[in-house]
């Protein structure tokens, strides 16, 4: 048990000794293995459950979009523009570019007097394969709207509109919007991040290196913000409520995040990030979760999140049985025959 | 140094202690790490270079397609159907479904009196994104021809035609074609594989678990088949020559395998497989290479293969410099700005 509310600049051991938590079978053999580290933390900063190096300095990537959405609420922008739960949820999303996602972002941009040209996230084809096929077959092309981060970026533009910030360059570290977000991250993670390692995310915004347990602390404060200033409390609660009410918007119909938030009816608000990062907010327990797969592989991070939620009884035995193909997914070949499985490692301990 | 030509049924330690060989940076921090094991073996079965658990029992996946193509030559099918280098190369390929790949397979199928309906590999969209976009925009759909294994399966059908085997069910372990291939693998790997772990590959054919160093031994025998029976010698040499002459057919214009075979002018014949497997044939040194990334991630396997080829001086310093963006690729965000790199781990030793 450690107190994470003090500054913590301890260096990482690069996950040298993180345990094997997930194995991938094929036929009668384990074919691949995955290591990870994680922390489950309460609002006092106590690590109540952990595996591996939970102080590993980690870029939260898209798993901390809820923190990046705090200025959207706290600036008054969400009220000023009458944002819906769907819009707030997609501001925290890595969406799959299904038509409903694209439509939601498009209408929101119209509402704030912006267009897809104002989004600085870059473009890519929809991750949702049937939506991508439909788009191309109908003569369409990829756009910034399909970018999995387009909701987050529309949230950024909304804050800029509200606070009179320059719309150009809102992705840059020095832009006042990104400095606002950094401030929110510092108070939520309980540490000064001015000298933290940093880089640039796939969508162009800053990524900030934070010890995994401090990311979990931030998620615990989302889960139970009662010790936070009133504005922060309201913002956290509004974001939690929006994700719970609109789980489709956070990811998509085929996605792990959406399925878990739906199945738990919002008792677990989980979010994926690139390079095998995951976070979880558990309001009823006042707990936050952060994990990183050493190798950056999402199938591994999802399986570990499922293990943690089962351990915490947020996913009960009956639900685990119903969702077994989500929690420990079978692998199929191109002909649709099961040939293997992603599963918890046989020797993993909680 | 160990003699691999005897049976080797030692169990694997599941890569518990494999070294970190590759790291992925972002900004001023290492974000993800990859562990791997590998063996470089000569035709006597001596392990001349290795890292990690080189006896790990491994499914060779698509990295051993050259072995699966031996019956295509040895049955007389290649001569009977006047197979070109392009056809023999694509029989050993995991191709990207570019139009030239699809056309090559289609014409070959016509030549043997078969159609894409006879292929039992299943279908998927081309891996090459511009080709996929063009296919869909022009109203096309995925077919078995686009499957990255369609060349291998066409080779299988060609052997079945030549030897009078039933065309239906040629993917099954019990089918005489697969038993032929198993026999070729046993002699090349220097071990009995009747009781080896097995499973089913993505394209439906059997995968057989073989210690990594014995896969490397098979590749060494490809590199220098002079101790093999005459028919096998000729088959290995014809396959080597075909891949060296047609490197585009083995993978595709954007792919690591193709770029390395091209850049080394066939001095290194390397081949990727799913779940982070790689093999290499180095004719001038009479050496074979086999490696497996613990976590199954291809970016890691490619980087390690590059490190081995540099160590063996098959890639010299000048070529390494020219190819640095292939060997240790930069990572870009959606806006095309470099944000990180995949590179050899700083503490990795040869």
């Amino acid at each position: 048990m450690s107190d994470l509310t003090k500054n913590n600049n301890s260096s990482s051991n690069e996950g040298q000794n993180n345990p094997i938590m997930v194995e991938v079978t094929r036929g009668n053999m384990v074919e691949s293995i995955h290591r990870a580290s994680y922390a489950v933390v309460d609002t006092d900063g106590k690590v109540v459950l952990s595996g591996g190096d939970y102080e590993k300095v980690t870029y939260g990537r898209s798993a901390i979009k809820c923190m990046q959405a705090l200025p959207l609420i706290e600036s008054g922008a969400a009220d000023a523009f009458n944002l819906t739960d769907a819009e707030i949820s997609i501001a925290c999303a890595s969406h799959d570019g299904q038509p409903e996602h694209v439509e939601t972002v498009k209408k929101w941009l119209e509402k704030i007097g912006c267009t897809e040209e104002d989004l600085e996230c870059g473009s890519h084809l929809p991750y949702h394969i049937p939506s991508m096929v439909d788009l191309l077959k109908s003569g369409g092309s990829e756009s910034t709207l399909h970018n999995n981060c387009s909701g987050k970026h529309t949230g950024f533009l909304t804050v800029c509109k509200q606070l009179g910030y320059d719309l150009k360059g809102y992705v840059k570290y020095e832009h006042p919007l990104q400095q606002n977000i950094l401030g929110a991250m510092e108070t939520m993670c309980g540490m000064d991040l001015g000298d933290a390692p940093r880089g640039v995310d796939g969508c162009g915004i800053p990524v900030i290196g934070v010890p995994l347990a401090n990311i979990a602390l931030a998620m615990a404060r989302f889960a139970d913000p009662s010790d936070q200033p009133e504005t922060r409390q309201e913002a956290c609660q509004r974001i939690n409520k929006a994700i719970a009410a609109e789980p489709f918007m956070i990811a998509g119909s085929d996605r792990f995040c959406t399925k878990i938030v739906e199945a738990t009816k919002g008792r677990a608000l989980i979010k994926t990030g690139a390079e095998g990062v995951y976070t979880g907010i558990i309001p009823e327990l006042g707990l936050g979760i952060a994990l990183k797969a050493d190798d950056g592989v999402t199938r591994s991070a999802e399986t570990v999140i499922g293990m943690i939620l089962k351990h915490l009884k947020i996913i009960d035995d009956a639900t685990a049985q119903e969702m077994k193909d989500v929690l420990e997914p079978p692998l199929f070949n191109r002909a649709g025959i099961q040939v293997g499985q992603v599963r918890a490692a046989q020797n993993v301990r909680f």
Side-chain angles (χ1 to χ4, degrees), chain A:
Chain A
M1 308 288 172
S2 63
D3 181 353
L4 302 169
T5 56
K6 302 195 190 78
N7 282 1
N8 183 341
N9 286 314
S10 67
S11 67
S12 159
N13 68 3
E14 304 296 1
Q16 299 269 358
N17 301 309
N18 287 337
I20 297 167
M21 292 198 188
V22 173
E23 56 194 30
V24 182
T25 69
R26 181 173 295 265
N28 53 357
M29 196 174 90
V30 171
E31 186 168 24
S32 295
I33 52 175
H34 298 286
R35 294 167 189 264
S37 55
Y38 70 89
V40 182
V41 170
D42 70 15
T43 53
D44 294 328
K46 271 197 211 136
V47 178
V48 299
L49 191 71
S50 72
D53 174 17
Y54 60 76
E55 295 196 339
K56 176 167 170 54
V57 177
T58 303
Y59 294 136
R61 306 295 299 269
S62 290
I64 57 162
K65 279 174 174 164
C66 58
M67 270 199 275
Q68 296 164 336
L70 286 169
L72 180 63
I73 316 296
E74 294 176 356
S75 67
D79 284 337
F81 290 99
N82 285 312
L83 296 193
T84 63
D85 282 344
E87 287 160 345
I88 294 171
S89 184
I90 209 166
C92 304
S94 300
H95 67 74
D96 257 5
Q98 295 182 248
E100 302 89 330
H101 296 125
V102 175
E103 200 54 31
T104 300
V105 172
K106 200 173 172 199
K107 285 191 174 153
W108 181 5
L109 283 167
E110 284 166 14
K111 188 153 71 170
I112 63 169
C114 287
T115 73
E116 63 190 78
E117 309 290 315
D118 295 307
L119 296 172
E120 296 183 352
C121 49
S123 66
H124 61 71
L125 286 166
Y127 289 161
H128 185 249
I129 302 295
S131 300
M132 180 202 70
V133 171
D134 287 349
L135 176 73
L136 293 172
K137 280 193 179 280
S138 66
S141 299
E142 65 180 46
S143 78
T144 55
L145 296 173
H146 302 109
N147 187 303
N148 72 95
C149 300
S150 66
K152 177 181 71 177
H153 282 250
T154 302
F156 290 165
L157 287 169
T158 307
V159 179
C160 292
K161 282 275 182 178
Q162 176 71 8
L163 298 179
Y165 294 161
D166 198 345
L167 296 189
K168 291 261 179 247
Y170 69 83
V171 295
K172 296 215 179 300
Y173 182 79
E174 298 75 16
H175 190 282
L177 170 72
Q178 297 302 334
Q179 288 297 308
N180 269 13
I181 291 170
L182 187 64
M185 282 181 66
E186 287 182 324
T187 51
M188 292 298 276
C189 296
M191 62 187 298
D192 177 11
L193 296 171
D195 294 325
R198 68 179 210 249
V200 176
D201 212 329
C203 69
I205 71 162
V207 288
I208 311 291
V210 180
L212 210 45
N214 290 73
I215 297 176
L217 172 63
M219 296 302 132
R221 288 171 169 176
F222 260 96
D224 175 8
S226 54
D227 290 340
Q228 305 301 309
E230 198 171 336
T231 312
R232 177 64 45 90
Q233 282 186 43
E234 287 170 12
C236 290
Q237 278 155 355
R238 186 155 176 190
I239 289 169
N240 290 348
K241 177 178 156 289
I243 298 169
E246 296 283 354
F248 168 81
M249 286 294 162
I250 202 79
S253 52
D254 296 342
R255 293 272 302 282
F256 189 79
C257 294
T258 293
K259 289 176 183 176
I260 296 293
V261 176
E262 278 178 353
T264 64
K265 300 185 170 62
R267 294 172 64 209
L269 306 172
I270 64 162
K271 181 68 186 69
T272 190
E275 293 293 334
V277 180
Y278 241 98
T279 61
I281 297 167
I282 316 293
E284 72 195 65
L285 300 177
L287 294 177
I289 305 169
L291 87 82
K292 168 84 173 85
D294 289 16
D295 48 39
V297 176
T298 299
R299 68 181 177 189
S300 153
E302 290 178 346
T303 300
V304 180
I305 279 283
M307 290 155 64
I308 295 169
L309 294 178
K310 282 192 278 186
H311 181 82
L312 296 175
K313 308 285 185 203
I314 295 297
I315 293 179
D316 62 25
D317 291 348
T319 308
Q321 185 56 30
E322 278 166 32
M323 299 191 74
K324 65 184 168 53
D325 287 357
V326 174
L327 297 171
E328 295 187 307
L331 298 178
F332 298 98
N333 69 7
R334 296 285 175 191
I337 295 161
Q338 186 178 348
V339 293
Q341 188 185 19
V342 182
R343 69 183 187 195
Q346 296 307 290
N347 60 348
V348 75
R349 294 271 179 283
F350 272 93

